[in-house]
């Protein structure tokens, strides 16, 4: 056993002993998260493992909602190439699990990912008996990978990406990660930059491929305009109304968005502002901020069960999984986590609806997507609320130009579809 892995096992064992009693007590006292904790500890219900009857048996790990959606396109591509295979999918978050269960229904069992602790991992791998484990994007778990290799299980990192913000930490721990990455059989990366970064961390160059971003594939199949009609009806928003959507906003951005909105209102008085925060637990704070500026607002949940929207022109989205559809009705779209230094959010989700996208200077995590949109003339960088309002107003005064740029964005995305199939081919090499 490698000395670095021994140290990792020792430290993880210590943390487990320290944290587990408190977590166990909380679940018993509060009566919450018991299934969550049981699966995290490696106790997978037998009814789930009995459903894995095909060959090869493929385990896909998708950390959260974004990766779960990618998993859907990858599963479809693998099934088209390999008949008779069975899948199990794990995720880290309750929201990721909920979306996975909706996407895969009864076809694929979904569980919470086991804690990356050697004894737990050994138990789960023994119970599930996967032939291949696929980790999506940046999921690099040392114990999981070391134990999979020890048990003869093939592993792949697909749709792989290494962000500019994380590469420094990986490089500082290169001696450790170099040993970890030896346990991965193939690296199917999104871009040349991602490929160079994974090699810099320690991946064997002979195992590294560049196969594009599978998020394009899912985007291309999800833009059913029935969704647009459904959203307009549920939010009671007419096609003639101007809608300013601020998606996946983070702390500090809502105030800037409201400043831009106030300027836009001077010329387009009926503009509706929809704020969809990245973390919905922040909605009370956002509501307080809106009131402090003299506006009223309404929560998305207050429109459920057929209730109508009030006259307030600001709506806060306090539900999960709706933002992608909400982008379909936007006139002006701002992509959050970018006016604050948090790396941005995926601007392709609104763009595939044929929308121009505005974003701040911090788009490091989506630099490839940003370049794609800017090549199409459909990505607009703004550095202040005033700049956002100024550019938005110009396009609102030139609606045909706004639509034309949006169409160019969608066409550019659709040209790039096919990455999921290329990633699936990489996985197939480990099986055939």
């Amino acid at each position: 056993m490698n000395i670095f892995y021994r140290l990792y096992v020792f430290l993880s064992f210590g943390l487990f002993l320290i944290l587990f009693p408190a977590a166990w007590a909380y679940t018993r006292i509060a009566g919450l998260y018991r299934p969550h904790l049981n699966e995290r500890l490696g106790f997978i219900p037998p009814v789930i493992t009995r459903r894995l009857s095909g060959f090869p048996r493929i385990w896909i790990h998708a950390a959260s909602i974004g990766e779960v959606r990618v998993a859907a396109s990858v599963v479809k591509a693998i099934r088209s190439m390999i008949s008779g295979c069975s899948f199990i999918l794990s995720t880290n978050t309750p929201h990721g699990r909920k979306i996975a269960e909706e996407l895969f229904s009864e076809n694929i069992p979904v569980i919470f990912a086991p804690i990356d602790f050697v004894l737990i991992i050994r138990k789960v791998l023994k119970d599930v008996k996967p032939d291949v484990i696929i980790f999506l994007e940046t999921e690099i778990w040392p114990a999981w990978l070391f134990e999979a290799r020890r048990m003869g299980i093939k592993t792949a990192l697909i749709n792989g990406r290494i962000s500019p913000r994380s590469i420094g930490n990986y490089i500082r721990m290169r001696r450790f990660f170099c040993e970890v990455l030896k346990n991965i059989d193939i690296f199917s990366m999104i871009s040349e930059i991602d490929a160079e970064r994974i090699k810099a961390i320690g991946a064997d160059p002979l195992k590294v491929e560049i196969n594009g971003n599978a998020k394009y594939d899912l985007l291309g199949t999800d833009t059913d305009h029935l969704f647009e009609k459904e959203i307009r009806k549920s939010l009671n928003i007419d096609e003639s109304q101007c809608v300013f959507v601020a998606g996946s906003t983070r702390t500090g951005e809502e105030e800037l968005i409201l400043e831009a909105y106030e300027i836009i209102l001077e010329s387009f008085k009926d503009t509706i502002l929809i704020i969809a925060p990245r973390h919905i637990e922040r909605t009370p704070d956002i509501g307080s901020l809106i009131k402090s500026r003299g506006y009223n607002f309404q929560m998305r949940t207050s429109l459920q069960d057929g209730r109508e929207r009030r006259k307030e022109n600001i709506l806060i989205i306090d539900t999960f999984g709706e933002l992608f559809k909400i982008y379909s009705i936007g006139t002006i779209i701002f992509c959050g986590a970018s006016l604050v230094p948090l790396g941005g959010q995926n601007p392709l989700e609104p763009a595939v609806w044929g929308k121009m996208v505005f974003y701040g200077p911090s788009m490091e995590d989506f630099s490839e997507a940003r370049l794609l949109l800017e090549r199409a003339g459909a990505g607009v960088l703004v550095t202040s609320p005033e700049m956002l309002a100024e550019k938005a107003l110009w396009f609102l005064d030139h609606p045909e130009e706004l639509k034309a740029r949006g169409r160019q964005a969608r066409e550019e995305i659709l040209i790039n579809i096919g990455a999921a199939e290329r990633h699936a081919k990489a996985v197939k090499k480990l099986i055939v």
Side-chain angles (χ1 to χ4, degrees):
M1 187 185 291
N2 177 274
I3 187 170
F4 294 108
Y5 183 49
R6 287 179 186 273
L7 180 60
Y8 179 81
V9 170
F10 175 77
L11 292 174
S12 61
F13 184 72
L15 284 172
F16 181 78
L17 290 178
I18 292 168
L19 299 176
F20 174 69
W24 183 87
Y26 178 78
T27 61
R28 293 306 181 270
I29 294 169
L32 298 172
Y33 306 120
R34 287 190 188 183
H36 186 155
L37 184 62
N38 289 344
E39 290 178 6
R40 291 284 198 194
L41 294 175
F43 295 99
I44 309 300
V47 67
I48 286 180
T49 55
R50 283 197 296 267
R51 290 170 59 188
L52 303 174
S53 57
F55 175 84
R57 188 174 294 193
I58 301 173
W59 185 338
I60 299 182
H61 176 58
S64 192
I65 293 174
E67 292 84 359
V68 166
R69 293 190 184 280
V70 170
S73 59
V74 172
V75 165
K76 181 179 179 181
I78 292 175
R79 279 183 163 157
S80 70
M81 297 178 191
I82 306 170
S83 61
C85 55
S86 61
F87 292 88
I88 183 170
L89 185 136
S90 61
T91 185
N92 291 343
T93 68
H95 308 308
R97 179 169 183 156
K98 181 176 181 293
I99 295 298
E101 288 172 340
E102 290 174 0
L103 282 174
F104 298 115
S105 186
E106 297 298 317
N107 295 322
I108 296 176
V110 180
I111 61 171
F112 286 110
I115 297 169
D116 197 52
F117 175 56
V118 60
L119 298 180
I120 293 173
I121 293 296
R122 285 178 182 175
K123 180 186 185 312
V124 174
L125 293 180
K126 183 179 177 182
D127 290 344
V128 177
K129 297 181 179 65
D131 299 294
V132 177
I133 303 176
I134 297 171
F135 298 90
L136 285 171
E137 301 209 354
T138 322
E139 293 298 294
I140 302 172
W141 293 100
W144 207 340
L145 289 165
F146 272 99
E147 294 306 314
R149 171 54 59 91
R150 187 182 65 82
M151 297 173 69
I153 300 165
K154 299 291 186 179
T155 58
L157 180 71
I158 73 169
N159 215 55
R161 57 186 291 266
I162 304 293
S163 74
R165 291 185 299 151
S166 63
I167 183 63
N169 292 328
Y170 283 121
I171 293 294
R172 280 189 286 273
M173 298 180 67
R174 187 181 186 279
R175 291 182 66 189
F176 171 65
F177 279 103
C178 186
E179 295 298 325
V180 174
L181 296 181
K182 286 179 181 178
N183 297 290
I184 299 179
D185 295 290
I186 197 161
F187 301 85
S188 187
M189 309 303 288
I190 287 176
S191 68
E192 186 174 348
I193 292 173
D194 295 304
E196 291 305 315
R197 286 173 181 160
I198 202 74
K199 286 187 278 190
I201 296 167
D204 181 348
L206 297 177
K207 296 180 178 179
V208 179
E209 300 181 5
I210 301 168
N211 286 316
N213 194 338
K215 285 184 177 177
Y216 290 120
D217 296 61
L218 194 64
L219 290 172
T221 59
D222 270 2
T223 50
D224 187 332
H225 283 280
L226 290 176
F227 292 154
E228 180 182 349
K229 293 179 181 179
E230 170 193 318
I231 286 293
R232 285 193 183 279
K233 182 178 180 181
S234 65
L235 302 184
N236 193 23
I237 294 175
D238 190 80
E239 288 186 22
S240 63
Q241 292 179 282
C242 176
V243 181
F244 177 8
V245 179
S248 295
T249 56
R250 304 291 285 272
T251 303
E253 285 188 312
E254 289 85 12
E255 187 168 359
L256 303 177
I257 292 299
L258 286 167
E259 289 178 23
Y261 178 59
E262 288 175 348
I263 298 171
I264 291 170
L265 280 179
E266 292 174 8
S267 301
F268 293 85
K269 300 186 184 302
D270 294 327
T271 300
I272 294 170
L273 172 62
I274 299 177
I275 299 176
R278 177 69 173 169
H279 303 113
I280 65 171
E281 61 269 19
R282 293 182 49 244
T283 53
D285 295 332
I286 297 169
S288 297
L289 175 64
I290 292 169
K291 284 187 174 180
S292 73
R293 301 185 75 95
Y295 296 103
N296 292 319
F297 65 92
Q298 194 166 2
M299 293 290 188
R300 169 67 177 104
T301 49
S302 72
L303 300 178
Q304 292 174 344
D305 303 322
R307 285 173 284 180
E308 292 190 358
R309 183 171 58 84
R310 300 193 301 264
K311 291 183 179 180
E312 285 78 10
N313 277 355
I314 299 180
L315 183 67
I316 301 176
I317 305 302
D318 57 342
T319 55
F320 287 105
E322 284 196 301
L323 178 57
F324 180 71
K325 294 180 183 179
I326 288 171
Y327 281 141
S328 70
I329 67 169
T331 314
I332 297 297
I333 308 284
F334 171 79
C335 214
S338 60
L339 277 173
V340 290
L342 290 173
Q345 289 295 323
N346 187 0
L348 302 182
E349 291 188 354
V352 79
W353 286 104
K355 309 291 181 180
M356 274 194 62
V357 187
F358 297 77
Y359 41 75
S362 181
M363 287 291 287
E364 299 87 354
D365 291 353
F366 295 90
S367 56
E368 181 194 11
R370 173 185 168 179
L371 288 172
L372 181 149
L373 292 183
E374 291 178 358
R375 283 199 304 269
V380 182
L381 171 65
V382 296
T383 58
S384 67
E386 294 79 13
M387 189 176 182
L388 172 56
E390 177 188 351
K391 290 183 177 292
L393 285 170
W394 189 91
F395 281 103
L396 289 174
D397 283 329
H398 299 81
E400 291 307 314
E401 181 70 14
L402 180 66
K403 290 177 182 177
R405 300 268 192 112
R407 284 194 298 270
Q408 289 168 8
R410 177 173 170 80
E411 288 168 7
E412 189 72 20
I413 291 171
L414 295 180
I415 289 171
N416 284 275
I417 285 177
E421 183 176 351
R422 294 190 292 273
H423 290 301
K425 287 179 179 176
V427 173
K428 187 177 179 182
K429 294 175 187 177
L430 303 179
I431 299 164
V432 177

